[in-house]
Amino acid sequence: MTLAGYTIRPMTRSDLDLAIAWAAAEGWNPGLDDADSFYSADPTGFWMGWLDDQPIACLSTVKYGDRFGFVGFYIVVPQYRGQGYGWAIWQAGLASLGDRLIGLDGVVAQQENYRRSGFELAYCNQRYSGLSRRLQSELPAAIRRLEPADFPTLLAYDRQLFPEDRHSFLEKWLTQPRAIALGYFASQGLQGYGQIRPSQAGYRIGPLFADQPEIAQQLFLALQSQIPESQPIFWDIPTVNTAAIAIATEQGFTSMFDTARMYRGAAPDISLNRLYGVTSLELG
């Protein structure tokens, strides 16, 4: 299909700000400081579709190493939907990932469309929301803020829970100026970590990784104790991790919507029972 006047080009960093504004308008509630983290993950992995001189569509196809990619930010401006512009940028973006394993978190109702491009459902993620409570004034002895010196240890831990190395992304993500990143350290070393950051509405948790449910719960309580009381918190949880859902419901959180985690290629062998909170629905 030839679409007159339509071109697809890599995003500039300022283009990404527009894509995030579109995501906010769709109700995705991006973090206030997410853009720099996203762009640092792979500056070549963001696409914008232009109709003449007007941006009307976007997509991200972020590459992690030579073996994994993640698709997100699939948005077409409402008045241009259903006219082929989204399909064109989708095809161009997927082509840029080559033969990598590819993941995405998509709208559940669009699963059949993703299957036509070779994706299969692995599990669903569910967004939970609730209000923060100041349950503790001091952090437990095992929990402290992550420091630059912790980064090599953290990267090794994260690699067990993500399909590929993502050091460029994490360096920016965990040091966002308004975010708080905490680690759980015991005699065996790092046994979990998590982050909370301000978003368009309230705060977002992600990631939240832990070796045991008790550690995940302590990290969650510690994270929410670092922000003002009665603030909305949003937390994306893989539904296959029933312990994570139990923690959320025990804290009075309720589910908002689901997304479908799908892969083109064999689903990666990661420890889903230790994945209590998705880092980002846009970048995996």
mmCIF file with all atom_site columns, all heavy atoms in Angstrom, residues 161 208-213 216 238 240-244 270-276:
data_model
loop_
_atom_site.group_PDB
_atom_site.id
_atom_site.type_symbol
_atom_site.label_atom_id
_atom_site.label_alt_id
_atom_site.label_comp_id
_atom_site.label_asym_id
_atom_site.label_entity_id
_atom_site.label_seq_id
_atom_site.pdbx_PDB_ins_code
_atom_site.Cartn_x
_atom_site.Cartn_y
_atom_site.Cartn_z
_atom_site.occupancy
_atom_site.B_iso_or_equiv
_atom_site.pdbx_formal_charge
_atom_site.auth_seq_id
_atom_site.auth_comp_id
_atom_site.auth_asym_id
_atom_site.auth_atom_id
_atom_site.pdbx_PDB_model_num
ATOM 1   N N   . LEU A 1 161 ? 15.948 -11.724 35.393 1.00 0.00 ? 161 LEU A N   1
ATOM 2   C CA  . LEU A 1 161 ? 14.527 -11.413 35.318 1.00 0.00 ? 161 LEU A CA  1
ATOM 3   C C   . LEU A 1 161 ? 14.154 -10.627 34.071 1.00 0.00 ? 161 LEU A C   1
ATOM 4   O O   . LEU A 1 161 ? 13.004 -10.196 33.921 1.00 0.00 ? 161 LEU A O   1
ATOM 5   C CB  . LEU A 1 161 ? 14.125 -10.623 36.575 1.00 0.00 ? 161 LEU A CB  1
ATOM 6   C CG  . LEU A 1 161 ? 14.283 -11.447 37.859 1.00 0.00 ? 161 LEU A CG  1
ATOM 7   C CD1 . LEU A 1 161 ? 14.413 -10.552 39.073 1.00 0.00 ? 161 LEU A CD1 1
ATOM 8   C CD2 . LEU A 1 161 ? 13.117 -12.396 38.019 1.00 0.00 ? 161 LEU A CD2 1
ATOM 9   N N   . LEU A 1 208 ? 9.542  -4.242  40.302 1.00 0.00 ? 208 LEU A N   1
ATOM 10  C CA  . LEU A 1 208 ? 9.571  -4.782  41.653 1.00 0.00 ? 208 LEU A CA  1
ATOM 11  C C   . LEU A 1 208 ? 9.940  -6.257  41.506 1.00 0.00 ? 208 LEU A C   1
ATOM 12  O O   . LEU A 1 208 ? 9.122  -7.065  41.054 1.00 0.00 ? 208 LEU A O   1
ATOM 13  C CB  . LEU A 1 208 ? 8.234  -4.618  42.372 1.00 0.00 ? 208 LEU A CB  1
ATOM 14  C CG  . LEU A 1 208 ? 8.192  -5.141  43.812 1.00 0.00 ? 208 LEU A CG  1
ATOM 15  C CD1 . LEU A 1 208 ? 9.273  -4.498  44.668 1.00 0.00 ? 208 LEU A CD1 1
ATOM 16  C CD2 . LEU A 1 208 ? 6.824  -4.931  44.447 1.00 0.00 ? 208 LEU A CD2 1
ATOM 17  N N   . PHE A 1 209 ? 11.183 -6.585  41.839 1.00 0.00 ? 209 PHE A N   1
ATOM 18  C CA  . PHE A 1 209 ? 11.711 -7.937  41.734 1.00 0.00 ? 209 PHE A CA  1
ATOM 19  C C   . PHE A 1 209 ? 12.107 -8.403  43.126 1.00 0.00 ? 209 PHE A C   1
ATOM 20  O O   . PHE A 1 209 ? 12.664 -7.628  43.910 1.00 0.00 ? 209 PHE A O   1
ATOM 21  C CB  . PHE A 1 209 ? 12.951 -7.979  40.842 1.00 0.00 ? 209 PHE A CB  1
ATOM 22  C CG  . PHE A 1 209 ? 12.721 -7.571  39.395 1.00 0.00 ? 209 PHE A CG  1
ATOM 23  C CD1 . PHE A 1 209 ? 13.796 -7.146  38.624 1.00 0.00 ? 209 PHE A CD1 1
ATOM 24  C CD2 . PHE A 1 209 ? 11.474 -7.611  38.815 1.00 0.00 ? 209 PHE A CD2 1
ATOM 25  C CE1 . PHE A 1 209 ? 13.619 -6.785  37.296 1.00 0.00 ? 209 PHE A CE1 1
ATOM 26  C CE2 . PHE A 1 209 ? 11.275 -7.241  37.491 1.00 0.00 ? 209 PHE A CE2 1
ATOM 27  C CZ  . PHE A 1 209 ? 12.359 -6.830  36.728 1.00 0.00 ? 209 PHE A CZ  1
ATOM 28  N N   . ALA A 1 210 ? 11.851 -9.665  43.433 1.00 0.00 ? 210 ALA A N   1
ATOM 29  C CA  . ALA A 1 210 ? 12.199 -10.177 44.763 1.00 0.00 ? 210 ALA A CA  1
ATOM 30  C C   . ALA A 1 210 ? 12.300 -11.690 44.728 1.00 0.00 ? 210 ALA A C   1
ATOM 31  O O   . ALA A 1 210 ? 11.594 -12.361 43.958 1.00 0.00 ? 210 ALA A O   1
ATOM 32  C CB  . ALA A 1 210 ? 11.161 -9.746  45.799 1.00 0.00 ? 210 ALA A CB  1
ATOM 33  N N   . ASP A 1 211 ? 13.154 -12.223 45.603 1.00 0.00 ? 211 ASP A N   1
ATOM 34  C CA  . ASP A 1 211 ? 13.336 -13.669 45.671 1.00 0.00 ? 211 ASP A CA  1
ATOM 35  C C   . ASP A 1 211 ? 12.180 -14.379 46.371 1.00 0.00 ? 211 ASP A C   1
ATOM 36  O O   . ASP A 1 211 ? 11.932 -15.549 46.100 1.00 0.00 ? 211 ASP A O   1
ATOM 37  C CB  . ASP A 1 211 ? 14.644 -14.000 46.400 1.00 0.00 ? 211 ASP A CB  1
ATOM 38  C CG  . ASP A 1 211 ? 15.874 -13.642 45.586 1.00 0.00 ? 211 ASP A CG  1
ATOM 39  O OD1 . ASP A 1 211 ? 15.721 -13.236 44.415 1.00 0.00 ? 211 ASP A OD1 1
ATOM 40  O OD2 . ASP A 1 211 ? 16.996 -13.767 46.133 1.00 0.00 ? 211 ASP A OD2 1
ATOM 41  N N   . GLN A 1 212 ? 11.516 -13.679 47.287 1.00 0.00 ? 212 GLN A N   1
ATOM 42  C CA  . GLN A 1 212 ? 10.440 -14.284 48.069 1.00 0.00 ? 212 GLN A CA  1
ATOM 43  C C   . GLN A 1 212 ? 9.295  -13.289 48.237 1.00 0.00 ? 212 GLN A C   1
ATOM 44  O O   . GLN A 1 212 ? 9.527  -12.068 48.234 1.00 0.00 ? 212 GLN A O   1
ATOM 45  C CB  . GLN A 1 212 ? 10.946 -14.700 49.459 1.00 0.00 ? 212 GLN A CB  1
ATOM 46  C CG  . GLN A 1 212 ? 12.082 -15.705 49.454 1.00 0.00 ? 212 GLN A CG  1
ATOM 47  C CD  . GLN A 1 212 ? 11.664 -17.073 48.949 1.00 0.00 ? 212 GLN A CD  1
ATOM 48  O OE1 . GLN A 1 212 ? 10.478 -17.435 48.997 1.00 0.00 ? 212 GLN A OE1 1
ATOM 49  N NE2 . GLN A 1 212 ? 12.624 -17.847 48.457 1.00 0.00 ? 212 GLN A NE2 1
ATOM 50  N N   . PRO A 1 213 ? 8.049  -13.773 48.432 1.00 0.00 ? 213 PRO A N   1
ATOM 51  C CA  . PRO A 1 213 ? 6.927  -12.855 48.637 1.00 0.00 ? 213 PRO A CA  1
ATOM 52  C C   . PRO A 1 213 ? 7.133  -11.903 49.806 1.00 0.00 ? 213 PRO A C   1
ATOM 53  O O   . PRO A 1 213 ? 6.749  -10.737 49.738 1.00 0.00 ? 213 PRO A O   1
ATOM 54  C CB  . PRO A 1 213 ? 5.739  -13.802 48.882 1.00 0.00 ? 213 PRO A CB  1
ATOM 55  C CG  . PRO A 1 213 ? 6.117  -15.085 48.219 1.00 0.00 ? 213 PRO A CG  1
ATOM 56  C CD  . PRO A 1 213 ? 7.606  -15.184 48.366 1.00 0.00 ? 213 PRO A CD  1
ATOM 57  N N   . ALA A 1 216 ? 9.266  -9.088  48.679 1.00 0.00 ? 216 ALA A N   1
ATOM 58  C CA  . ALA A 1 216 ? 8.496  -8.204  47.793 1.00 0.00 ? 216 ALA A CA  1
ATOM 59  C C   . ALA A 1 216 ? 7.565  -7.307  48.598 1.00 0.00 ? 216 ALA A C   1
ATOM 60  O O   . ALA A 1 216 ? 7.445  -6.105  48.323 1.00 0.00 ? 216 ALA A O   1
ATOM 61  C CB  . ALA A 1 216 ? 7.689  -9.028  46.796 1.00 0.00 ? 216 ALA A CB  1
ATOM 62  N N   . PRO A 1 238 ? 2.306  -9.131  36.678 1.00 0.00 ? 238 PRO A N   1
ATOM 63  C CA  . PRO A 1 238 ? 1.993  -10.315 35.870 1.00 0.00 ? 238 PRO A CA  1
ATOM 64  C C   . PRO A 1 238 ? 0.963  -11.179 36.605 1.00 0.00 ? 238 PRO A C   1
ATOM 65  O O   . PRO A 1 238 ? 1.167  -11.526 37.777 1.00 0.00 ? 238 PRO A O   1
ATOM 66  C CB  . PRO A 1 238 ? 3.340  -11.044 35.748 1.00 0.00 ? 238 PRO A CB  1
ATOM 67  C CG  . PRO A 1 238 ? 4.372  -10.021 36.101 1.00 0.00 ? 238 PRO A CG  1
ATOM 68  C CD  . PRO A 1 238 ? 3.728  -9.098  37.078 1.00 0.00 ? 238 PRO A CD  1
ATOM 69  N N   . VAL A 1 240 ? 0.354  -14.181 36.380 1.00 0.00 ? 240 VAL A N   1
ATOM 70  C CA  . VAL A 1 240 ? 0.855  -15.506 36.755 1.00 0.00 ? 240 VAL A CA  1
ATOM 71  C C   . VAL A 1 240 ? 1.525  -15.483 38.124 1.00 0.00 ? 240 VAL A C   1
ATOM 72  O O   . VAL A 1 240 ? 1.752  -16.541 38.714 1.00 0.00 ? 240 VAL A O   1
ATOM 73  C CB  . VAL A 1 240 ? 1.835  -16.047 35.696 1.00 0.00 ? 240 VAL A CB  1
ATOM 74  C CG1 . VAL A 1 240 ? 1.101  -16.374 34.408 1.00 0.00 ? 240 VAL A CG1 1
ATOM 75  C CG2 . VAL A 1 240 ? 2.974  -15.072 35.437 1.00 0.00 ? 240 VAL A CG2 1
ATOM 76  N N   . ASN A 1 241 ? 1.868  -14.301 38.642 1.00 0.00 ? 241 ASN A N   1
ATOM 77  C CA  . ASN A 1 241 ? 2.465  -14.194 39.965 1.00 0.00 ? 241 ASN A CA  1
ATOM 78  C C   . ASN A 1 241 ? 1.351  -13.935 40.977 1.00 0.00 ? 241 ASN A C   1
ATOM 79  O O   . ASN A 1 241 ? 1.043  -12.794 41.323 1.00 0.00 ? 241 ASN A O   1
ATOM 80  C CB  . ASN A 1 241 ? 3.516  -13.078 40.009 1.00 0.00 ? 241 ASN A CB  1
ATOM 81  C CG  . ASN A 1 241 ? 4.340  -13.103 41.286 1.00 0.00 ? 241 ASN A CG  1
ATOM 82  O OD1 . ASN A 1 241 ? 3.855  -13.510 42.339 1.00 0.00 ? 241 ASN A OD1 1
ATOM 83  N ND2 . ASN A 1 241 ? 5.591  -12.668 41.199 1.00 0.00 ? 241 ASN A ND2 1
ATOM 84  N N   . THR A 1 242 ? 0.751  -15.001 41.452 1.00 0.00 ? 242 THR A N   1
ATOM 85  C CA  . THR A 1 242 ? -0.391 -14.870 42.363 1.00 0.00 ? 242 THR A CA  1
ATOM 86  C C   . THR A 1 242 ? 0.016  -14.270 43.699 1.00 0.00 ? 242 THR A C   1
ATOM 87  O O   . THR A 1 242 ? -0.795 -13.626 44.367 1.00 0.00 ? 242 THR A O   1
ATOM 88  C CB  . THR A 1 242 ? -1.067 -16.235 42.579 1.00 0.00 ? 242 THR A CB  1
ATOM 89  O OG1 . THR A 1 242 ? -0.080 -17.181 43.044 1.00 0.00 ? 242 THR A OG1 1
ATOM 90  C CG2 . THR A 1 242 ? -1.661 -16.747 41.269 1.00 0.00 ? 242 THR A CG2 1
ATOM 91  N N   . ALA A 1 243 ? 1.274  -14.463 44.104 1.00 0.00 ? 243 ALA A N   1
ATOM 92  C CA  . ALA A 1 243 ? 1.736  -13.860 45.361 1.00 0.00 ? 243 ALA A CA  1
ATOM 93  C C   . ALA A 1 243 ? 1.747  -12.344 45.252 1.00 0.00 ? 243 ALA A C   1
ATOM 94  O O   . ALA A 1 243 ? 1.401  -11.638 46.214 1.00 0.00 ? 243 ALA A O   1
ATOM 95  C CB  . ALA A 1 243 ? 3.131  -14.375 45.715 1.00 0.00 ? 243 ALA A CB  1
ATOM 96  N N   . ALA A 1 244 ? 2.116  -11.811 44.091 1.00 0.00 ? 244 ALA A N   1
ATOM 97  C CA  . ALA A 1 244 ? 2.116  -10.362 43.899 1.00 0.00 ? 244 ALA A CA  1
ATOM 98  C C   . ALA A 1 244 ? 0.693  -9.812  43.954 1.00 0.00 ? 244 ALA A C   1
ATOM 99  O O   . ALA A 1 244 ? 0.439  -8.764  44.579 1.00 0.00 ? 244 ALA A O   1
ATOM 100 C CB  . ALA A 1 244 ? 2.758  -10.011 42.557 1.00 0.00 ? 244 ALA A CB  1
ATOM 101 N N   . ILE A 1 270 ? 12.631 -16.768 32.113 1.00 0.00 ? 270 ILE A N   1
ATOM 102 C CA  . ILE A 1 270 ? 12.932 -15.901 33.249 1.00 0.00 ? 270 ILE A CA  1
ATOM 103 C C   . ILE A 1 270 ? 12.068 -16.313 34.434 1.00 0.00 ? 270 ILE A C   1
ATOM 104 O O   . ILE A 1 270 ? 11.066 -17.009 34.269 1.00 0.00 ? 270 ILE A O   1
ATOM 105 C CB  . ILE A 1 270 ? 12.711 -14.408 32.913 1.00 0.00 ? 270 ILE A CB  1
ATOM 106 C CG1 . ILE A 1 270 ? 11.270 -14.170 32.438 1.00 0.00 ? 270 ILE A CG1 1
ATOM 107 C CG2 . ILE A 1 270 ? 13.706 -13.940 31.864 1.00 0.00 ? 270 ILE A CG2 1
ATOM 108 C CD1 . ILE A 1 270 ? 10.962 -12.718 32.188 1.00 0.00 ? 270 ILE A CD1 1
ATOM 109 N N   . SER A 1 271 ? 12.442 -15.866 35.625 1.00 0.00 ? 271 SER A N   1
ATOM 110 C CA  . SER A 1 271 ? 11.774 -16.296 36.856 1.00 0.00 ? 271 SER A CA  1
ATOM 111 C C   . SER A 1 271 ? 10.537 -15.441 37.117 1.00 0.00 ? 271 SER A C   1
ATOM 112 O O   . SER A 1 271 ? 10.601 -14.443 37.852 1.00 0.00 ? 271 SER A O   1
ATOM 113 C CB  . SER A 1 271 ? 12.749 -16.199 38.039 1.00 0.00 ? 271 SER A CB  1
ATOM 114 O OG  . SER A 1 271 ? 13.910 -16.951 37.795 1.00 0.00 ? 271 SER A OG  1
ATOM 115 N N   . LEU A 1 272 ? 9.424  -15.830 36.543 1.00 0.00 ? 272 LEU A N   1
ATOM 116 C CA  . LEU A 1 272 ? 8.203  -15.031 36.712 1.00 0.00 ? 272 LEU A CA  1
ATOM 117 C C   . LEU A 1 272 ? 7.724  -15.008 38.154 1.00 0.00 ? 272 LEU A C   1
ATOM 118 O O   . LEU A 1 272 ? 7.058  -14.056 38.566 1.00 0.00 ? 272 LEU A O   1
ATOM 119 C CB  . LEU A 1 272 ? 7.099  -15.567 35.796 1.00 0.00 ? 272 LEU A CB  1
ATOM 120 C CG  . LEU A 1 272 ? 7.325  -15.359 34.288 1.00 0.00 ? 272 LEU A CG  1
ATOM 121 C CD1 . LEU A 1 272 ? 6.256  -16.085 33.483 1.00 0.00 ? 272 LEU A CD1 1
ATOM 122 C CD2 . LEU A 1 272 ? 7.324  -13.879 33.953 1.00 0.00 ? 272 LEU A CD2 1
ATOM 123 N N   . ASN A 1 273 ? 8.050  -16.031 38.930 1.00 0.00 ? 273 ASN A N   1
ATOM 124 C CA  . ASN A 1 273 ? 7.637  -16.031 40.336 1.00 0.00 ? 273 ASN A CA  1
ATOM 125 C C   . ASN A 1 273 ? 8.421  -15.014 41.157 1.00 0.00 ? 273 ASN A C   1
ATOM 126 O O   . ASN A 1 273 ? 8.085  -14.740 42.308 1.00 0.00 ? 273 ASN A O   1
ATOM 127 C CB  . ASN A 1 273 ? 7.790  -17.424 40.940 1.00 0.00 ? 273 ASN A CB  1
ATOM 128 C CG  . ASN A 1 273 ? 9.223  -17.914 40.975 1.00 0.00 ? 273 ASN A CG  1
ATOM 129 O OD1 . ASN A 1 273 ? 10.006 -17.623 40.052 1.00 0.00 ? 273 ASN A OD1 1
ATOM 130 N ND2 . ASN A 1 273 ? 9.587  -18.661 41.996 1.00 0.00 ? 273 ASN A ND2 1
ATOM 131 N N   . ARG A 1 274 ? 9.462  -14.415 40.571 1.00 0.00 ? 274 ARG A N   1
ATOM 132 C CA  . ARG A 1 274 ? 10.223 -13.358 41.245 1.00 0.00 ? 274 ARG A CA  1
ATOM 133 C C   . ARG A 1 274 ? 9.927  -11.985 40.641 1.00 0.00 ? 274 ARG A C   1
ATOM 134 O O   . ARG A 1 274 ? 10.466 -10.983 41.090 1.00 0.00 ? 274 ARG A O   1
ATOM 135 C CB  . ARG A 1 274 ? 11.720 -13.658 41.146 1.00 0.00 ? 274 ARG A CB  1
ATOM 136 C CG  . ARG A 1 274 ? 12.107 -14.958 41.849 1.00 0.00 ? 274 ARG A CG  1
ATOM 137 C CD  . ARG A 1 274 ? 13.468 -15.455 41.370 1.00 0.00 ? 274 ARG A CD  1
ATOM 138 N NE  . ARG A 1 274 ? 14.539 -14.545 41.716 1.00 0.00 ? 274 ARG A NE  1
ATOM 139 C CZ  . ARG A 1 274 ? 15.743 -14.593 41.136 1.00 0.00 ? 274 ARG A CZ  1
ATOM 140 N NH1 . ARG A 1 274 ? 15.989 -15.459 40.165 1.00 0.00 ? 274 ARG A NH1 1
ATOM 141 N NH2 . ARG A 1 274 ? 16.677 -13.746 41.509 1.00 0.00 ? 274 ARG A NH2 1
ATOM 142 N N   . LEU A 1 275 ? 9.079  -11.950 39.629 1.00 0.00 ? 275 LEU A N   1
ATOM 143 C CA  . LEU A 1 275 ? 8.740  -10.703 38.948 1.00 0.00 ? 275 LEU A CA  1
ATOM 144 C C   . LEU A 1 275 ? 7.405  -10.200 39.518 1.00 0.00 ? 275 LEU A C   1
ATOM 145 O O   . LEU A 1 275 ? 6.330  -10.646 39.119 1.00 0.00 ? 275 LEU A O   1
ATOM 146 C CB  . LEU A 1 275 ? 8.634  -10.955 37.440 1.00 0.00 ? 275 LEU A CB  1
ATOM 147 C CG  . LEU A 1 275 ? 8.809  -9.765  36.500 1.00 0.00 ? 275 LEU A CG  1
ATOM 148 C CD1 . LEU A 1 275 ? 8.971  -10.256 35.061 1.00 0.00 ? 275 LEU A CD1 1
ATOM 149 C CD2 . LEU A 1 275 ? 7.639  -8.793  36.568 1.00 0.00 ? 275 LEU A CD2 1
ATOM 150 N N   . TYR A 1 276 ? 7.494  -9.286  40.452 1.00 0.00 ? 276 TYR A N   1
ATOM 151 C CA  . TYR A 1 276 ? 6.314  -8.759  41.160 1.00 0.00 ? 276 TYR A CA  1
ATOM 152 C C   . TYR A 1 276 ? 5.773  -7.475  40.550 1.00 0.00 ? 276 TYR A C   1
ATOM 153 O O   . TYR A 1 276 ? 4.657  -7.070  40.883 1.00 0.00 ? 276 TYR A O   1
ATOM 154 C CB  . TYR A 1 276 ? 6.650  -8.549  42.643 1.00 0.00 ? 276 TYR A CB  1
ATOM 155 C CG  . TYR A 1 276 ? 6.810  -9.840  43.413 1.00 0.00 ? 276 TYR A CG  1
ATOM 156 C CD1 . TYR A 1 276 ? 7.987  -10.571 43.341 1.00 0.00 ? 276 TYR A CD1 1
ATOM 157 C CD2 . TYR A 1 276 ? 5.769  -10.339 44.197 1.00 0.00 ? 276 TYR A CD2 1
ATOM 158 C CE1 . TYR A 1 276 ? 8.137  -11.770 44.030 1.00 0.00 ? 276 TYR A CE1 1
ATOM 159 C CE2 . TYR A 1 276 ? 5.911  -11.524 44.896 1.00 0.00 ? 276 TYR A CE2 1
ATOM 160 C CZ  . TYR A 1 276 ? 7.095  -12.238 44.803 1.00 0.00 ? 276 TYR A CZ  1
ATOM 161 O OH  . TYR A 1 276 ? 7.225  -13.434 45.483 1.00 0.00 ? 276 TYR A OH  1
#
